[in-house]
Amino acid sequence: MPELAQNGLSNPERPATGRRAVGPANTPTHPLATAPVGSPVFSVDGFVKEFIHELNTNQGVPLSRSSVNDQYLALASTVKNYLMARWLETGRKTRDAKAKAVGYLSAEYLLGRQLGNALLATDLNDIAEKGLELCGLDLVTLRNQEVEPGLGNGGLGRLAACFIDSLATMDVPCIGYGIRYEYGIFRQTFVDGRQVEQPDTWLALGSPWEFPHPEASVQVNFGGHTEKYTDEAGTERTRWVPDWNVLGVPYNYMVPGYLNGRVNTLRLWSATATKAFDLAIFNAGDYAQAVRAQTFAENISKVLYPEDSTPQGKELRLQQQYFFVACSLRDFIENELEDDFDLHNLDQRIIFQLNDTHPVIAVPELMRILMDEKGFDWDEAWAVTSKCFAYTCHTLLPEALEVWSTDLLGRLLPRHLEIIYAINEQFLAEVREACPDDELRARRMSIIAELPERGVRMAYLSTYAATKVNGVAALHSQLLRDKVLPDFSELWPDKFTNVTNGVTPRRFVKMANPKLAELINDTIGAGWVTDLERLKELEPFAEDPEFRERFAEAKAWNKRRLTQVLRNRDGIDLPDGHLLDVMVKRLHEYKRQSLKLLHIVSLYEQVVSGKLTVDQVTPRTVVFGAKAAPGYKMAKDTIHLINKVAEVVNADPKLEGRLKVAFPANYNVTLAEKLIPAADLSEQISLAGMEASGTGNMKFALNGALTIGTDDGANVEIRELVGDKHFFLFGMSEPEVADLGAKGYSPGAYYEGNAQLKAAIDLILSGHFSGGDQHLFDSVVYNLLHSDRFMALADFQSYIDAQARVEEKYADPDAWTRSAILNVARTGFFSSDRSMRDYIQRIWHTQPML
């Protein structure tokens, strides 16, 4: 094909962005904006022209001299321009309708790559593929160039991304609010099997999906003191006199709905200094001091979850949390509402969803804005605030429920601490009125904790302030009522509800598993992508030999694709014909990667000791994917042990290649999209009563993996839906766990009483996996033998027995495939679209825009 537009095309007028962050009120003038929403704007030739134009004008290169990164950036800009008119139109319609929106406040968004999702949502994939072919380019190559933004740690951030995808697809107005971390979750590497954290430089090659609006920056104050004064009406008021401040610059991301023309907004905030450069100091020769204010300010949005084992780390985390909610509340009030809007009616236009405790400082911040800036009295401000927030609790672990020191809060946010004290005084008065003879209850429920140091219980603050409090799976919500917040649920039972988590079928089935998606389309039509309950229509086909054959072929294709990905990405070769046994999740003791490891070591030990012949071992490859928090020593030691066991197991000729262990570094959404569709067995083995929900368990089941798991989190609902015959249940129930803990758990007794378990642990202690060093893994082993807080040893034998049932079933490929099909057919409930409907009906009371 001849070179196109060497000198560039005439530049079409681009839609300008105004002060209002959703877009200007004026009609956009870009040619694409004149087309009916949802109509096919691009022909293949039109796409090529726009792509070449972007390459010439934005990247400043002709096609013949462009790099792959130039080509990717031009392609992303082409697709973004297609979305832009729809984004501006979405903003206009929402403002004109004065529709109630969802403000999703989350410290994490684990978005994954944007290009593929945008192409899917706009139905441009085929046009882009054909257009790039005309240019001699390959769409897959350009998609692989994208670096995903690691703006989340795991399930919490991925859930937020799924939810905003669903709200756009369901035509519900939503703004996602968060932080634009310059360095996201660290990039994980291994050095001699140990985790080493490296900066996640996701912005290094450009980020074409975001666009900043520095003119819409928000000033955020910190420190200082408060003072009383009397206003013009003679009312005594309080003002905050801060010591220092920063600016929050909004970066907008477009969130397209699936084939419906709606494009919602994700708005991430980046911190910069209000006074970034002091020329006088610079000219005096102190160059570092001249830019110190900028460096200090930018630290706030520098890194996702700074390590907080130090006082400085704790303070930076609190700065991050207040920074993004202060920016977000100010943005909505100033930029999304009409100038004459009566803030007494704020709940009619917004519900702020607090995604865990990280954004809870938004409650006193809204009170401060209403009282100190808008002139509301206390009762007026509380009447508004108490209707504008809802709270999702994502944990059952007491240490995960944030408590901020009053000393730190008072130093960093003195006005907010005053407001929190006043909220607590009001709250305790209500408790004492409801329970006049129970002062102990009032002390237990106080938002202010007295021991071990005086602090603010953020979960208690949000529970009191929120219209609703929800857990994220049926079991979790029950335990939240009964064990985490029992006094609150007894006092306000109607405040508590459940919304089981879900995942977006667009990214995690249609995009991640194209062969399965094609099979489903051919069988029941395409409507399942936005109505996942339609997967039930697949159930009769589990008895159809031809369908089972095609299903098995799709799984085999996914395994081949994963093998190629891991070979190119990590130099890992996956054997053919193995059961693919996958455990991917954040590395934490309660998730019990140690239990999976003991199973591997036990299998290995039985072969090398002669208890099992190698032909008795089901060919199995175990794949781990996990990051440990930088300051979490036990988790990092566990990673080290897994990698050292893998080295020995993979190299031992006695196994004849029938047992392999793979641990690709830096597990992320991009790898998940290849790994999950290939998996045969999904490991969901947390101690019962510890996992809030999980969403990985849902993704695996929807992609045809069978689950081995405890009755924990959403595993309970998965098992109930798919049936006991198609789920490998093991381990204690939550009441049994509680009972064993009450009686006194002694892990050493399980070690002494189970020869198979003892042999596995003794092999680790012998130095077999550590080059003869018998003490290298003392921390992991002695934690199991003398503490084992999450009772891995107690569940070991039950887990081994369940793995034997796995092997028995896997030996019958037809039976396994039938169960895999039924897992897909019966798990349509776990769509994030259904989760959003539950939130809308039970909590938010918003409406789709028709």
Side-chain angles (χ1 to χ4, degrees), residues 377-404:
D377 65 28
W378 177 273
D379 291 338
E380 288 178 301
W382 184 252
V384 173
T385 300
S386 61
K387 292 185 287 189
C388 286
F389 293 99
Y391 166 52
T392 300
C393 179
H394 286 277
T395 187
L396 294 168
L397 300 178
E399 62 266 30
L401 296 171
E402 288 181 309
V403 178
W404 287 110

Side-chain angles (χ1 to χ4, degrees), residues 328-634:
S328 303
L329 294 185
R330 176 76 62 188
D331 173 75
F332 188 83
I333 291 171
E334 300 294 337
N335 291 333
E336 301 297 329
L337 299 173
E338 51 270 25
D339 293 339
D340 60 351
F341 182 78
D342 183 354
L343 289 174
H344 290 88
N345 302 317
L346 184 60
D347 66 295
Q348 297 176 19
R349 296 291 291 277
I350 190 69
I351 178 73
F352 290 109
Q353 186 66 37
L354 303 169
N355 193 29
D356 219 355
T357 53
H358 311 121
V360 172
I361 197 68
V363 172
E365 171 66 2
L366 183 56
M367 289 291 289
R368 186 194 67 79
I369 291 171
L370 295 175
M371 291 191 300
D372 297 359
E373 298 181 13
K374 304 299 181 181
F376 284 33
D377 65 28
W378 177 273
D379 291 338
E380 288 178 301
W382 184 252
V384 173
T385 300
S386 61
K387 292 185 287 189
C388 286
F389 293 99
Y391 166 52
T392 300
C393 179
H394 286 277
T395 187
L396 294 168
L397 300 178
E399 62 266 30
L401 296 171
E402 288 181 309
V403 178
W404 287 110
S405 153
T406 54
D407 286 344
L408 173 58
L409 259 170
R411 185 171 70 255
L412 199 65
L413 301 169
R415 179 58 176 144
H416 298 75
L417 183 60
E418 289 179 354
I419 292 170
I420 290 168
Y421 280 143
I423 291 172
N424 193 48
E425 185 178 339
Q426 171 183 283
F427 167 57
L428 291 180
E430 293 180 25
V431 173
R432 290 180 177 121
E433 182 179 357
C435 307
D437 301 320
D438 195 350
E439 183 59 25
L440 285 178
R441 174 191 287 268
R443 294 185 183 186
R444 287 196 309 268
M445 295 180 73
S446 174
I447 293 167
I448 307 299
E450 300 297 337
L451 296 172
E453 65 172 349
R454 206 151 200 259
V456 178
R457 297 162 165 152
M458 302 306 279
Y460 288 17
L461 173 59
S462 55
T463 300
Y464 175 51
T467 58
K468 289 286 186 179
V469 177
N470 73 281
V472 290
L475 175 63
H476 172 244
S477 293
Q478 190 61 50
L479 294 174
L480 185 65
R481 294 186 191 97
D482 296 347
K483 295 196 171 184
V484 179
L485 299 168
D487 292 320
F488 289 84
S489 65
E490 185 178 324
L491 200 58
W492 296 302
D494 293 342
K495 182 172 279 200
F496 287 77
T497 189
N498 173 63
V499 178
T500 298
N501 283 343
V503 302
T504 169
R506 271 76 63 184
R507 181 177 289 272
F508 287 106
V509 182
K510 184 167 177 59
M511 191 166 78
N513 201 338
K515 294 297 183 183
L516 177 60
E518 181 183 355
L519 175 59
I520 297 172
N521 284 349
D522 290 347
T523 306
I524 64 171
W528 61 273
V529 179
T530 52
D531 183 7
L532 205 60
E533 293 280 7
R534 284 197 56 196
L535 292 180
K536 291 176 182 176
E537 298 170 31
L538 293 174
E539 191 161 334
F541 293 92
E543 304 306 319
D544 182 337
E546 182 182 349
F547 184 88
R548 288 200 302 272
E549 182 179 356
R550 287 189 64 191
F551 188 94
E553 287 173 355
K555 180 66 71 172
W557 184 88
N558 285 322
K559 287 186 175 183
R560 291 193 298 272
R561 179 180 63 166
L562 175 66
T563 298
Q564 188 65 42
V565 166
L566 290 181
R567 182 179 295 132
N568 295 339
R569 179 187 188 272
D570 302 276
I572 294 173
D573 276 310
L574 299 182
D576 292 333
H578 278 212
L579 168 71
L580 192 60
D581 179 356
V582 180
M583 187 171 190
V584 287
K585 51 189 74 247
R586 182 166 50 94
L587 202 304
H588 195 289
E589 289 168 88
Y590 89 81
K591 295 180 183 289
R592 301 203 295 189
Q593 282 91 349
S594 56
L595 179 57
K596 177 74 249 176
L597 182 64
L598 287 172
H599 171 230
I600 296 166
V601 173
S602 176
L603 273 176
Y604 173 75
E605 189 279 330
Q606 289 180 86
V607 172
V608 297
S609 67
K611 300 183 187 80
L612 284 178
T613 61
V614 71
D615 59 357
Q616 291 176 292
V617 176
T618 297
R620 180 192 299 249
T621 295
V622 181
V623 180
F624 289 94
K627 292 181 179 180
Y632 191 173
K633 184 178 185 303
M634 184 56 63

